[in-house]
């Protein structure tokens, strides 16, 4: 269950209930608290077979589906016509090479598709992700640009075949210098979609990850970024603003590397909890029939919505979505002066991103059935968010 109040919440449970009606700000704070699995290990599963929650009382029989949608409502900002371009947030995707150009596009365009929708119960100083960047190799840049004019594409990455050994140090510094020009503007990085496994390219990305940590920029790692991380855990170990989004095979390799055992589906929650804790408090979103999420302190499960059609590219949509919601959730924590350690924005971002992705996939499947493609799911992102956070 996503609702858990504990001693770390900073509010007396009984007093908060009486205070809810007195202030819109307090109502919003209480909503955020309810959405965070604060206080320890959570065993609850979110599904579509439960009825909406009534009131603010919590019990073992309370609805869990309502909690998931409350996460989306709590962290989705309002539209504000007074805000200018870019003030709503910037997401950057690090990935894209000769062989793989679709994945970084899917992640970047998904971030743009998740537009801010009005929810009168909350008000934010930011509007959402309205700029999306892709840092890729030169070979991939023109292709990605042709997919969409909305993306800002930076053709700065290099693969080994195009760099002489004696020039690698110079090229590496040049790449880092270009990324450094933009780093402070980014609200989140998505690292790995379409990255490939070229050694020099991975070396460049390793340096970018280190720089993001120094700049305190959240990172979502997917695809070949997980291949890099699995072989160099120190890149994310202990970084609480890092999110890993492994699929079945990527999760298997992580478990074997970190826990020195095989995946145990019968004890999946405890194993995921141990894995996140062992890596150092990163948040792991294990993709599957039900998405399991843990930051090493609690475990949540999202199984609401979904589609039987498993077309390639859904993970890229998820990583882009999580990046947006993570940046919004982090802004909530900052604006409300709440403790990040007890109210983890990465958990909120994963829960919201997973829910929206699954709902969009279910809507796309209703329309296209077996012919559903990744692009069909992307087109359903706006409708999915509108259904949960409607604009009047």
């Amino acid at each position: 269950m996503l609702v858990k109040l504990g001693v770390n919440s900073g509010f007396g449970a009984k007093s908060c209930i009486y205070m809810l009606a007195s202030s819109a700000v307090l109502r919003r704070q209480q909503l955020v608290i309810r959405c965070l699995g604060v206080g320890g290990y959570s065993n609850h599963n979110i599904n579509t077979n439960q009825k909406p929650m009534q009131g603010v009382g919590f019990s073992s029989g309370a609805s869990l589906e309502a909690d998931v949608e409350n996460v989306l409502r709590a962290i989705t900002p309002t539209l504000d016509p007074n805000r200018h371009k870019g003030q709503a947030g910037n997401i950057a995707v690090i990935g894209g090479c000769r062989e793989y150009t679709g994945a970084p596009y899917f992640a970047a365009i998904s971030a743009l598709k998740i537009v801010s929708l009005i929810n009168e119960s909350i008000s934010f100083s930011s509007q959402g992700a309205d700029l999306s960047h892709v840092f890729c190799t030169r070979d991939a840049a023109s292709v990605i640009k042709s997919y969409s004019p909305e993306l800002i594409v930076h053709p700065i990455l290099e693969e080994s075949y195009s760099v002489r050994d004696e020039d690698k140090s110079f090229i590496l510094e040049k790449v880092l210098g270009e990324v450094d020009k933009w780093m402070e503007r980014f609200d989140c990085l998505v690292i790995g979609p379409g990255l490939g496994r070229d050694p020099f390219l991975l070396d460049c990305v390793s340096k970018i990850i280190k720089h993001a940590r120094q700049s305190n920029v959240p990172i979502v790692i997917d695809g070949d970024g997980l291949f890099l991380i699995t072989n160099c855990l120190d890149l994310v170990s202990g970084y609480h603003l890092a999110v890993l989004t492994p699929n079945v095979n990527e999760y298997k390799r992580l478990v074997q590397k970190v826990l020195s055992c095989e995946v145990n589906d019968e004890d999946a929650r405890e194993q995921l909890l141990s894995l996140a804790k062992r890596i150092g408090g990163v948040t792991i979103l294990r993709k599957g029939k039900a998405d399991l999420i843990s930051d090493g302190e609690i475990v949540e499960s999202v199984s609401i919505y979904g589609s039987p059609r498993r077309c390639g590219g859904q993970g890229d949509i998820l990583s882009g979505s999580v990046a947006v919601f993570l940046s919004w959730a982090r802004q909530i924590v900052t604006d409300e002066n709440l403790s990040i350690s007890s109210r983890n924005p990465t958990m909120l971002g994963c829960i919201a991103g997973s829910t929206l992705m699954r709902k969009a996939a279910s809507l796309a499947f209703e329309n296209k059935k077996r012919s559903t493609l990744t692009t069909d799911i992307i087109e359903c992102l706006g409708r999915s968010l509108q259904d949960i956070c409607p604009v009047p």
Side-chain angles (χ1 to χ4, degrees), residues 18-138:
Y18 290 116
M19 294 168 63
L20 282 175
S22 64
S23 167
V25 174
L26 286 176
R27 286 199 302 272
R28 179 175 160 205
Q29 288 179 335
Q30 185 67 7
L31 181 59
V32 174
I33 293 171
R34 295 204 310 271
C35 295
L36 296 161
V38 177
Y41 174 57
S42 173
N43 246 339
H44 303 284
N45 187 57
I46 300 160
N47 58 62
T48 58
N49 298 321
Q50 294 169 303
K51 298 179 180 179
M53 182 184 298
Q54 301 297 324
V56 294
F58 309 117
S59 67
S60 60
S63 167
L64 303 173
E65 178 181 349
D67 293 346
V68 176
E69 295 191 350
N70 278 343
V71 170
L72 280 164
R73 296 188 186 103
I75 65 179
T76 300
T78 61
L79 288 172
D80 185 351
N82 296 318
R83 300 293 170 182
H84 59 74
K85 179 179 68 175
Q87 195 170 3
N90 289 316
I91 304 299
V93 176
I94 312 295
C97 61
R98 284 181 298 171
E99 291 85 0
Y100 309 114
T101 58
Y105 164 75
F106 291 147
I109 202 66
S110 296
L112 284 179
K113 286 286 185 178
I114 304 175
V115 295
S116 302
L117 301 172
I118 293 176
N119 183 338
E120 293 181 354
S121 65
I122 54 177
S123 177
F124 288 76
S125 61
S126 64
Q127 185 177 329
D130 60 0
L131 290 177
S132 195
H133 299 248
V134 177
F135 289 83
C136 60
T137 65
R138 297 180 184 277

Side-chain angles (χ1 to χ4, degrees), residues 156-170:
I156 65 169
L157 301 180
E158 299 283 358
E159 296 181 78
S160 298
Y161 79 93
S162 63
V163 181
R164 296 182 302 178
D165 289 342
E166 59 268 29
D167 294 333
K168 287 183 177 180
S169 178
F170 169 76

